[in-house]
Amino acid sequence: MKVYEKHNDPSALFLLGNDFEKSVTHHLTIFFQGLRPLCTAIENSTMQYSKQKHYIRQQKGKLIMFDIEEQIRSWKAHIHATSSIDNNEVKNLESLLRDTITELSGQGVNEEEAFLVAIRRLGDSEIIEKEFAKISTEELCHQLYMPLNTSMTQKTERKELVVILALTLFGGLLSKIPALFGFGDFDTYDLLYLKNASLFAFTPVAMYFLYKRKIPLSKTLLAIAFFPLAALLVNIYPYQEPYHTAILTIIHLPILSLIFLVPLYGGSAKGTGWKSPKTRLDFIRFIGEAFVYAVLIGMGGMVLILLTLGTFELIKVDASPFVVYWMGPFGLFGLFTVAAYLVDQKKSLMGGIAPVLARIFTPLFSLVLVSLIIAFLTSPNQASENRSMLIWFDVILAFVLALTLYSMCSSEQKKNTSRFPLWDVMTFVLIICAVLVDLIALWGILARLQTFGFSANRTAALGENLLLLSNLIFLAIGYSRYMAKNMSFSRIVELQMRFLPLYGIWAAVVVILFPLLFGFR
């Protein structure tokens, strides 16, 4: 029979049919000499699975209809029978399997092929990888003369690359819209470009999600309408000097844009759509990974720009106008789409770069927070007199919250083990230090409000610190209950993910209402 995908998961090999099963078992026995216990388990699993219904078989010359639900049930039974994966992890894998099948079906792939491809992608997951860490299925597939790629897969990949290239160019073209109305000089109209920068960057990403996900038209229109409406709003508002509300809009509009990307990222599948805490947590991981990719791509782009300028300088040609007005904008507003594509290509991995970085920086940020607390104790008046210190406090607190969220993405922390790992203790210490620093910052803000009164900046800082403080206290209570074994870690994650929309609501208040309340100043 035809094989549609390369199988990285040995369990996927058992779906190939009765005629092929004996050959697979024979080659597995030869290939895994020296790994007799594992090979025996796989052989036994093969014999057990052969008694179940195969997803394709012939009876009296007629092809039986493919039953996706029956095959998923058989697959779950096979995972339970042949591995030490617990029920929670199997549920997570099933959710990931269904998400992948839904995504592929939205691209026109039939259920049979989508099921095969989804099984193959699960072979890349950390959990399955742990079970079969010593198995080189790619080498096995070569021994069995199995095709690793099909023309359908290659055609789909080429089509997606063309879409990514088009959306990348589209992001750059969006940045040229102000020039059509006579606002082409970046230096003169820098505020205009900064206000719209997040819309230039995230609109192509939203369109990429629309291309990838199968979302009802009504929800698609509602989510995508945000970007033109936001552009209309921020460009109609008559901002005036000293432009405090305009700067606040520049800071908060990206947050609001990311919140509106969540429905497009998660889709609308029941139980696994954007309302699911797991999907929201995965979106947090997505943002972190995309940020890392964007930074790396941006650094490479800067090297390319320097090489371009240096090369043209050697031949006495000034390439700076081309770099500033074309190369730079197209690269800057297109790299986010490329980063989203790169992350989405490997979304089946349970772990990622962001959680690893979170673990590296958690102890370092704890030391920074401790040093800030000591600095406040030695000079307590600095919190109310030094405005820059308060801004610095808020930036660090935002990073602390991000570190905590990315730590939640770690696969080890999703398990309900009898002992909490060291990193949970370190995260708890980080949160406690962050609560103390936030209380110091809040005290400084209240002192400045009493002295100077309310302004757009001070009101925004007050609201954000109150929001951060409530979130950090909630996390501290959750972690303490988790460490006392009175709450599961998954429950903490679920409650935290339901807290996230509050940041979007506050960002909307700052972007929409603050200019009106403070006279657009």
Side-chain angles (χ1 to χ4, degrees), residues 122-134 349:
L122 283 181
D124 292 330
S125 71
E126 180 180 346
I127 296 171
I128 298 298
E129 187 180 32
K130 286 181 180 178
E131 287 295 318
F132 305 99
K134 297 182 180 180
L349 292 176

Side-chain angles (χ1 to χ4, degrees), residues 326-400:
W326 292 97
M327 191 175 180
F330 276 79
L332 176 62
F333 299 118
L335 67 86
F336 295 96
T337 306
V338 176
Y341 165 74
L342 293 175
V343 176
D344 199 62
Q345 285 295 103
K346 66 177 208 57
K347 72 173 184 176
S348 60
L349 292 176
M350 293 292 184
I353 299 174
V356 173
L357 294 178
R359 289 193 166 192
I360 294 174
F361 285 101
T362 292
L364 299 178
F365 267 82
S366 298
L367 294 176
V368 171
L369 292 179
V370 170
S371 65
L372 286 175
I373 294 172
I374 295 174
F376 170 75
L377 293 176
T378 57
S379 303
N381 293 331
Q382 287 295 317
S384 58
E385 297 175 357
N386 193 334
R387 179 172 174 267
S388 299
M389 184 177 181
L390 291 176
I391 296 174
W392 188 242
F393 275 20
D394 289 343
V395 171
I396 293 178
L397 289 173
F399 272 104
V400 168

